[in-house]
Amino acid sequence: MKKTVINGSRLEPYKLDTYKSLSFEVAEAAFHKVEILIIKDSNAAEDKQMEYVGDHLTYAVISLPKTYTGLNRFLCFQAREERGVWTVTVVYLRGTASVEDLESMFNKRKK
């Protein structure tokens, strides 16, 4: 598992103040548990883009409710399966950035 946390001035060009990501590989059963959690979080979304391959969620950008100080919050998700192993990336972002601002930072992987 790879965890990345970035806060502060390094994120200013992206209109963010917080970047947290987790990347990991898991088998089908564990992937399904993560997938369910992401879908559950999307129920509170103000806006969302979600893509499926077959029955599985493979891409999502979820706009969560703003913070009490008015900052935007996003949950981004990408997953890809190869030979029964899922490569998953989950990213939490907070700042003044819009969904359009994020597109250059969290590009879709080639399918």
Short mmCIF file of all heavy atoms in Angstrom, two decimals, residues 2-3 6-7 10 20-21 45-46 48 56-57 61 75 82 87 100-101 105-106 110:
data_model
loop_
_atom_site.label_atom_id
_atom_site.label_comp_id
_atom_site.label_asym_id
_atom_site.label_seq_id
_atom_site.Cartn_x
_atom_site.Cartn_y
_atom_site.Cartn_z
N LYS A 2 0.52 2.19 -0.81
CA LYS A 2 1.24 3.45 -0.87
C LYS A 2 0.30 4.56 -0.42
O LYS A 2 -0.79 4.72 -0.98
CB LYS A 2 1.73 3.72 -2.29
CG LYS A 2 2.48 5.02 -2.41
CD LYS A 2 2.93 5.27 -3.83
CE LYS A 2 3.59 6.62 -3.93
NZ LYS A 2 3.94 6.94 -5.31
N LYS A 3 0.73 5.32 0.58
CA LYS A 3 -0.05 6.43 1.11
C LYS A 3 0.70 7.73 0.86
O LYS A 3 1.91 7.80 1.11
CB LYS A 3 -0.28 6.25 2.61
CG LYS A 3 -1.08 7.36 3.25
CD LYS A 3 -1.27 7.09 4.73
CE LYS A 3 -2.02 8.22 5.40
NZ LYS A 3 -2.21 7.97 6.83
N ILE A 6 -0.29 15.37 1.19
CA ILE A 6 0.33 16.66 0.88
C ILE A 6 -0.61 17.74 1.39
O ILE A 6 -1.81 17.72 1.11
CB ILE A 6 0.57 16.84 -0.63
CG1 ILE A 6 1.41 15.70 -1.18
CG2 ILE A 6 1.23 18.18 -0.91
CD1 ILE A 6 1.52 15.67 -2.69
N ASN A 7 -0.05 18.68 2.12
CA ASN A 7 -0.82 19.82 2.62
C ASN A 7 -0.03 21.10 2.35
O ASN A 7 1.19 21.07 2.22
CB ASN A 7 -1.04 19.73 4.14
CG ASN A 7 -1.92 18.58 4.52
OD1 ASN A 7 -3.04 18.46 4.04
ND2 ASN A 7 -1.41 17.70 5.36
N ARG A 10 2.43 23.79 -1.46
CA ARG A 10 2.73 23.01 -2.67
C ARG A 10 1.49 22.74 -3.51
O ARG A 10 1.59 22.45 -4.70
CB ARG A 10 3.39 21.68 -2.30
CG ARG A 10 4.77 21.86 -1.78
CD ARG A 10 5.49 20.61 -1.40
NE ARG A 10 5.00 19.38 -1.98
CZ ARG A 10 5.35 18.17 -1.57
NH1 ARG A 10 6.20 18.05 -0.57
NH2 ARG A 10 4.86 17.09 -2.13
N LYS A 20 -4.78 13.64 -0.20
CA LYS A 20 -4.49 12.37 0.47
C LYS A 20 -4.84 11.25 -0.49
O LYS A 20 -5.95 11.24 -1.03
CB LYS A 20 -5.32 12.22 1.74
CG LYS A 20 -5.03 13.27 2.80
CD LYS A 20 -5.90 13.06 4.03
CE LYS A 20 -5.62 14.13 5.07
NZ LYS A 20 -6.42 13.94 6.27
N SER A 21 -3.90 10.34 -0.69
CA SER A 21 -4.19 9.23 -1.60
C SER A 21 -3.70 7.91 -1.02
O SER A 21 -2.74 7.87 -0.25
CB SER A 21 -3.56 9.46 -2.97
OG SER A 21 -2.16 9.29 -2.91
N ALA A 45 -23.32 12.74 -2.31
CA ALA A 45 -22.67 13.64 -3.27
C ALA A 45 -23.57 14.77 -3.72
O ALA A 45 -24.77 14.60 -3.90
CB ALA A 45 -22.20 12.85 -4.48
N GLU A 46 -22.94 15.92 -3.91
CA GLU A 46 -23.62 17.04 -4.55
C GLU A 46 -23.60 16.87 -6.06
O GLU A 46 -24.48 17.33 -6.76
CB GLU A 46 -22.94 18.35 -4.14
CG GLU A 46 -23.11 18.66 -2.67
CD GLU A 46 -22.47 19.96 -2.24
OE1 GLU A 46 -21.75 20.59 -3.04
OE2 GLU A 46 -22.70 20.36 -1.10
N LYS A 48 -21.58 13.93 -9.11
CA LYS A 48 -20.70 12.78 -9.25
C LYS A 48 -20.61 12.32 -10.70
O LYS A 48 -21.55 12.49 -11.47
CB LYS A 48 -21.15 11.62 -8.37
CG LYS A 48 -22.54 11.11 -8.65
CD LYS A 48 -22.97 10.10 -7.61
CE LYS A 48 -24.45 9.84 -7.71
NZ LYS A 48 -24.95 9.00 -6.62
N HIS A 56 -18.72 -3.61 -12.12
CA HIS A 56 -17.77 -3.02 -11.18
C HIS A 56 -17.52 -1.54 -11.44
O HIS A 56 -17.30 -1.13 -12.59
CB HIS A 56 -16.44 -3.76 -11.22
CG HIS A 56 -16.51 -5.14 -10.67
ND1 HIS A 56 -16.79 -5.40 -9.34
CD2 HIS A 56 -16.36 -6.35 -11.26
CE1 HIS A 56 -16.79 -6.70 -9.15
NE2 HIS A 56 -16.55 -7.30 -10.30
N LEU A 57 -17.51 -0.77 -10.37
CA LEU A 57 -17.14 0.63 -10.43
C LEU A 57 -15.65 0.72 -10.74
O LEU A 57 -14.84 0.08 -10.06
CB LEU A 57 -17.44 1.30 -9.09
CG LEU A 57 -17.09 2.79 -8.99
CD1 LEU A 57 -17.97 3.61 -9.92
CD2 LEU A 57 -17.26 3.26 -7.55
N VAL A 61 -15.51 10.46 -9.69
CA VAL A 61 -15.16 11.74 -9.09
C VAL A 61 -16.42 12.19 -8.39
O VAL A 61 -17.45 12.44 -9.02
CB VAL A 61 -14.69 12.78 -10.12
CG1 VAL A 61 -14.44 14.13 -9.44
CG2 VAL A 61 -13.44 12.32 -10.84
N LEU A 75 -13.88 13.10 -3.59
CA LEU A 75 -13.38 11.74 -3.44
C LEU A 75 -13.23 11.19 -4.86
O LEU A 75 -14.20 11.16 -5.63
CB LEU A 75 -14.37 10.89 -2.64
CG LEU A 75 -13.97 9.45 -2.37
CD1 LEU A 75 -12.69 9.40 -1.55
CD2 LEU A 75 -15.09 8.72 -1.66
N GLU A 82 -6.62 -6.94 -13.41
CA GLU A 82 -5.77 -7.70 -14.31
C GLU A 82 -5.47 -9.04 -13.66
O GLU A 82 -4.87 -9.10 -12.59
CB GLU A 82 -4.47 -6.95 -14.58
CG GLU A 82 -3.65 -7.58 -15.68
CD GLU A 82 -2.47 -6.71 -16.08
OE1 GLU A 82 -2.62 -5.48 -16.15
OE2 GLU A 82 -1.40 -7.29 -16.31
N THR A 87 -6.04 -3.16 -9.02
CA THR A 87 -5.20 -2.03 -8.65
C THR A 87 -6.14 -0.86 -8.40
O THR A 87 -6.91 -0.48 -9.29
CB THR A 87 -4.21 -1.69 -9.78
OG1 THR A 87 -3.42 -2.85 -10.04
CG2 THR A 87 -3.32 -0.53 -9.37
N GLU A 100 -13.70 20.68 -12.92
CA GLU A 100 -12.94 20.97 -14.13
C GLU A 100 -11.46 21.18 -13.82
O GLU A 100 -10.59 20.75 -14.58
CB GLU A 100 -13.52 22.20 -14.85
CG GLU A 100 -14.90 21.99 -15.43
CD GLU A 100 -16.03 22.06 -14.37
OE1 GLU A 100 -15.83 22.66 -13.30
OE2 GLU A 100 -17.09 21.48 -14.64
N ASP A 101 -11.16 21.83 -12.69
CA ASP A 101 -9.77 22.04 -12.29
C ASP A 101 -9.07 20.71 -12.02
O ASP A 101 -7.87 20.58 -12.22
CB ASP A 101 -9.69 22.90 -11.02
CG ASP A 101 -10.17 24.33 -11.23
OD1 ASP A 101 -9.99 24.86 -12.35
OD2 ASP A 101 -10.72 24.91 -10.28
N MET A 105 -5.39 16.89 -13.11
CA MET A 105 -4.61 16.24 -12.04
C MET A 105 -4.94 14.77 -11.88
O MET A 105 -4.09 13.97 -11.53
CB MET A 105 -4.86 16.96 -10.71
CG MET A 105 -3.97 16.46 -9.61
SD MET A 105 -3.99 17.46 -8.15
CE MET A 105 -5.71 17.53 -7.77
N PHE A 106 -6.19 14.37 -12.12
CA PHE A 106 -6.61 13.00 -11.90
C PHE A 106 -7.17 12.44 -13.20
O PHE A 106 -8.37 12.29 -13.36
CB PHE A 106 -7.65 12.96 -10.78
CG PHE A 106 -7.88 11.59 -10.19
CD1 PHE A 106 -6.92 10.98 -9.41
CD2 PHE A 106 -9.07 10.92 -10.41
CE1 PHE A 106 -7.13 9.73 -8.86
CE2 PHE A 106 -9.29 9.67 -9.86
CZ PHE A 106 -8.32 9.08 -9.09
N LYS A 110 -6.08 4.63 -19.15
CA LYS A 110 -6.52 3.97 -20.39
C LYS A 110 -7.15 2.64 -20.04
O LYS A 110 -6.66 1.91 -19.21
CB LYS A 110 -5.35 3.76 -21.32
CG LYS A 110 -4.65 5.03 -21.72
CD LYS A 110 -5.46 5.77 -22.73
CE LYS A 110 -4.68 7.01 -23.15
NZ LYS A 110 -5.47 8.06 -23.64
#
